[in-house]
C-alpha cells in the first residue's frame, strides 16, 4: 500500500471532507468557518413572469450586498434519475411486451413521485468567516440574516443537526436519517459506565 493510501486510510470522514469540526452554528474548516443560512424555497411554478423577475432581482440584491456570499442548492429528497435511466435502457433491450409495459409503468411512477417532490430542493446562503473576532460574529451574522429577510426571503441560520443532515444528503444521499450522530453507534454509548 502506498504512503498516500495509508495516510488517507487513517483519516476520518470529516478530515477527508476538509472539515475540522461542526459547531452549533457553523462548519469549521482550515480556511475559515462556514455559516449556512437555510432559505425557504418558493414554488416558482405558480408565479407570474413579473413575480419571478422580482425574486431574481431580490436575490441579486442579497448577493451584491455581501461579497462573501456563496450559494448552494441541493436535493433534500432522493433523486430517481439513475433509476429512470436504468428503466429506459432496460425498456430498449427488453423483448417481452409485458415486461416492457411493466418497466414503462415503473418509469411513469417515478416521474409522478418526482413531480410530487418538485419543491424538495434546499437552498443555502453560505458565509465564510475568515478573521472575524468571536465577539463580532453573531452581530455580523444577524445583520446578514436581516438583510436576506428584508429582501423577501424567509431564512434561518442552520443548526448543528441541520448541518449534519445537509452533509448527509450532499455526500451520501441520506434523506431518511432524522438525527445524525457524531460517531457511528453514538446513541448506544452509556456515559459513566
Amino acid at each position: 500500500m502506498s504512503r498516500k493510501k495509508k495516510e488517507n486510510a487513517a483519516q476520518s470522514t470529516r478530515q477527508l471532507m476538509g472539515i475540522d469540526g461542526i459547531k452549533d452554528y457553523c462548519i469549521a474548516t482550515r480556511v475559515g468557518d462556514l455559516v449556512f443560512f437555510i432559505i425557504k424555497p418558493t414554488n416558482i411554478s405558480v408565479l407570474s413572469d413579473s413575480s419571478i423577475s422580482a425574486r431574481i432581482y431580490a436575490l441579486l440584491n442579497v448577493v451584491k450586498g455581501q461579497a462573501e456570499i456563496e450559494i448552494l442548492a441541493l436535493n433534500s429528497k432522493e433523486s430517481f434519475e439513475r433509476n429512470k435511466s436504468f428503466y429506459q435502457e432496460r425498456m430498449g433491450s427488453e423483448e417481452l411486451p409485458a415486461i416492457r409495459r411493466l418497466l414503462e409503468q415503473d418509469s411513469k411512477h417515478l416521474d409522478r413521485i418526482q413531480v410530487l417532490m418538485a419543491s424538495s430542493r434546499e437552498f443555502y446562503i453560505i458565509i465564510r468567516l475568515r478573521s472575524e473576532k468571536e465577539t463580532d460574529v453573531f452581530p455580523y451574522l444577524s445583520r446578514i440574516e436581516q438583510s436576506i429577510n428584508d429582501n423577501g426571503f424567509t431564512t434561518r441560520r442552520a443548526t448543528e443537526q441541520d448541518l449534519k443532515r445537509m452533509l448527509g444528503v450532499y455526500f451520501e444521499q441520506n434523506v431518511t436519517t432524522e438525527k445524525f450522530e457524531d460517531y457511528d453507534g453514538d446513541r448506544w454509548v452509556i456515559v459513566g459506565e
Side-chain angles (χ1 to χ4, degrees):
M1 182 183 283
S2 73
R3 182 176 179 188
K4 186 165 180 89
K5 284 184 181 181
K6 284 181 185 176
E7 287 173 6
N8 284 345
Q11 289 183 322
S12 70
T13 304
R14 285 186 184 179
Q15 290 169 326
L16 290 170
M17 291 189 299
I19 295 174
D20 293 337
I22 299 176
K23 300 178 185 177
D24 60 345
Y25 70 96
C26 70
I27 295 175
T29 71
R30 61 186 160 275
V31 292
D33 291 347
L34 300 175
V35 179
F36 291 75
F37 290 94
I38 301 172
I39 304 292
K40 185 176 180 189
T42 302
N43 186 354
I44 62 172
S45 65
V46 297
L47 296 178
S48 66
D49 289 344
S50 60
S51 294
I52 293 172
S53 295
R55 299 297 288 170
I56 292 170
Y57 184 73
L59 183 60
L60 177 65
N61 283 334
V62 169
V63 171
K64 74 180 180 186
Q66 300 291 331
E68 57 281 328
I69 279 182
E70 300 171 38
I71 297 176
L72 174 66
L74 54 93
N75 290 329
S76 64
K77 301 289 183 201
E78 190 173 356
S79 173
F80 297 111
E81 292 306 314
R82 286 189 195 153
N83 301 59
K84 289 175 10 181
S85 295
F86 169 78
Y87 284 135
Q88 292 301 320
E89 289 174 22
R90 190 74 177 76
M91 280 187 279
S93 64
E94 182 56 54
E95 295 177 10
L96 296 172
I99 302 294
R100 204 174 14 245
R101 280 192 304 277
L102 289 172
L103 291 167
E104 188 176 332
Q105 288 173 359
D106 282 345
S107 183
K108 286 180 182 177
H109 175 68
L110 291 179
D111 286 337
R112 283 192 299 274
I113 292 172
Q114 202 110 25
V115 167
L116 292 173
M117 295 182 351
S119 62
S120 64
R121 294 239 189 262
E122 287 188 323
F123 299 92
Y124 295 87
I125 288 183
I126 307 164
I127 304 296
R128 189 179 299 270
L129 302 174
R130 295 183 194 277
S131 58
E132 288 77 5
K133 294 179 189 171
E134 195 158 330
T135 56
D136 297 337
V137 168
F138 288 108
Y140 173 65
L141 294 176
S142 293
R143 283 194 305 276
I144 291 173
E145 187 171 0
Q146 187 62 47
S147 170
I148 296 168
N149 288 329
D150 288 347
N151 280 286
F153 296 94
T154 305
T155 187
R156 67 178 176 81
R157 198 168 352 157
T159 64
E160 184 178 1
Q161 278 300 308
D162 292 327
L163 296 172
K164 289 177 182 179
R165 185 182 48 76
M166 183 264 305
L167 291 170
V169 170
Y170 188 77
F171 283 104
E172 64 174 80
Q173 290 295 304
N174 181 346
V175 296
T176 58
T177 302
E178 291 184 21
K179 184 176 186 315
F180 287 88
E181 303 169 340
D182 287 327
Y183 305 97
D184 284 341
D186 202 17
R187 68 184 172 274
W188 306 112
V189 174
I190 300 172
V191 179
E193 283 192 16

